[in-house]
Amino acid sequence: IEDEKAEKPEGWLDDEPEQIPDPEAEQPEDWDEEEDGEWEAPMIKNPACDDVGCGEWEAPMKPNPDYKGKWYPPRIPNPAYKGPWAPRKIPNPAYFEDDAPLKSVGKIAAVGAEIWTMDGGLYFDNLLITDDEAIAEELRLLGFEPKQVAQKAEADAETDKKKPDAVPFLVGHLYELLENPALEQVKPHLKPVVDFFMEFPAALYILIVALPLLILSCVYTVFCMPSSSSSDEEEEEEVPAAQAKKEDATGKDDAAEEEEEEEAEEKEAEEKKSTRRRTRRA
């Protein structure tokens, strides 16, 4: 609604138009009233309206405090609604409850366990099922820990046998890098590569030398090697130059060339003038 408290600002110009002809605009020299019609200056914003305003004054609008939105009838619970339908349940005539499920089970001689893991270095052996923590701790101290120490010592000895006495400098650094905890997830994939370089150290040095050369050759091919299109452009540029030299050698009249250039410029100016006239008419 209109703001009833708003008042027309003091100095408002009711009789001034919002736009006036540009007083600085001038009729173009090539304007033809017979072809282009009567010339009119372009309209600009009235500078007298910048301070307060001009034209017919209208009160600004404000939100209606009495507006409550679109009316809808109120909603109430549906007295006929009974909920989603489901079939009724009855006792299962084939249901059977075994009061003694372990009565017919004989002596347990073995336990099977299916384990799926993504981490290496895990061992499962001598599974024990008991509810006595003391028995479990005793079995761990007497059986699991000694066996774990023996298995680790055997694995270290096997690794030492595979390693030669003199480890190449770069390969040794690669083995040290694999011990980084951050590479624990990818270590199973990287270790076969390092073992290959350990067996064939020359392949590592060839890779170190060949990789930079390959990168440099690719960079040179992409950025430095001249393309066939550029050589074709140079040949095209050389042909007009040769033709110009040939014309100079034949002694072509310079005055005739100047006259031809002046006629071409005059013709181009007339075409531009006619184009501007057609644009104004449109």
Side-chain angles (χ1 to χ4, degrees), residues 242-264:
Q243 292 178 354
K245 290 180 181 179
K246 184 177 180 181
E247 291 176 357
D248 293 340
T250 56
K252 201 171 184 178
D253 190 6
D254 295 337
E257 292 181 357
E258 293 178 359
E259 291 179 359
E260 292 178 358
E261 292 179 357
E262 291 177 358
E263 292 177 359

Side-chain angles (χ1 to χ4, degrees), residues 183-206:
L183 300 177
E184 186 66 27
Q185 297 294 333
V186 296
K187 182 178 179 180
H189 305 287
L190 296 179
K191 193 173 184 303
V193 179
V194 179
D195 293 339
F196 174 79
F197 288 141
M198 183 68 188
E199 187 175 356
F200 304 100
L204 177 60
Y205 296 105
I206 293 174

Side-chain angles (χ1 to χ4, degrees), residues 74-75 105 142 150 163 177 194 216 224 254:
R75 304 180 72 84
V105 177
L142 299 178
K163 290 184 178 181
L177 186 62
V194 179
L216 290 175
C224 301
D254 295 337

